[in-house]
């Protein structure tokens, strides 16, 4: 069993930055896992914002959708069992509850965006961006 816990959420004005962390505990295997960050705004579906896939040849392979590419940076610290999302130039539409998730390596990076491929989820942390 893997437990994930997010932290670092808060309120920020548009254009500001926040860094979210996801701490893993239990039977951890972050080094060779696919890790994803998702957000869910009020009355909207869960949306993929960033992820890291594990590629046996090149190691970590980050992946971002168009909405966050160039503003968000995802990384992981295997020694600390930590998964980090750095968010810059935040916009009001980035508001939502942010969740981290872990699962087996994906066949390709685009598969990271599918919530149903993740086995473990955190409980989320609120991010609010005001205009």
């Amino acid at each position: 069993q893997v437990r994930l816990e997010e932290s670092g959420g808060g309120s920020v004005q548009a254009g500001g930055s926040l860094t979210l962390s996801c701490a893993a505990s239990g039977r951890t295997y972050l080094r060779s896992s696919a890790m994803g960050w998702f957000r869910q705004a009020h009355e909207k579906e869960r949306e993929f914002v960033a992820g890291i896939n594990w590629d046996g040849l090149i190691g970590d392979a980050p992946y971002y959708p168009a909405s966050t590419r160039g503003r968000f940076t995802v990384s992981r610290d295997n020694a600390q069992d930590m998964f980090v999302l750095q968010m810059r130039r935040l916009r009001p539409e980035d508001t939502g509850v942010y969740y981290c998730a872990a699962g087996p390596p994906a066949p390709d990076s685009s598969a990271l965006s599918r919530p149903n491929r993740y086995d473990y989820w955190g409980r989320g942390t609120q991010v609010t961006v005001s205009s």
Side-chain angles (χ1 to χ4, degrees):
Q1 185 72 19
V2 174
R3 291 176 295 278
L4 303 174
E5 183 173 2
E6 304 90 343
S7 61
S11 297
V12 64
Q13 289 195 327
S17 302
L18 279 176
T19 296
L20 305 183
S21 298
C22 174
S25 60
R27 184 177 59 82
T28 58
Y29 57 102
L30 288 189
R31 180 182 296 275
S32 59
S33 300
M35 302 292 297
W37 283 99
F38 291 77
R39 68 183 174 212
Q40 188 163 20
H42 183 59
E43 295 184 342
K44 292 190 176 180
E45 292 187 357
R46 197 163 292 192
E47 174 190 14
F48 174 75
V49 300
I52 287 183
N53 200 17
W54 171 256
D55 184 297
L57 293 178
I58 65 173
D60 283 344
Y63 180 71
Y64 308 91
S67 59
T68 62
R69 193 174 302 132
R71 301 188 300 123
F72 289 14
T73 302
V74 66
S75 62
R76 61 176 152 197
D77 182 338
N78 293 318
Q80 302 281 342
D81 282 334
M82 192 75 70
F83 183 46
V84 177
L85 180 68
Q86 295 177 296
M87 305 185 293
R88 300 180 301 276
R89 304 200 307 274
L90 285 162
R91 305 165 180 168
E93 55 264 39
D94 293 319
T95 294
V97 178
Y98 281 68
Y99 301 89
C100 67
D108 56 80
S109 293
S110 64
L112 294 174
S113 65
R114 301 170 197 159
N116 61 4
R117 74 170 329 278
Y118 293 90
D119 299 321
Y120 303 102
W121 291 83
R123 299 181 67 178
T125 185
Q126 176 71 43
V127 171
T128 302
V129 184
S130 57
S131 57

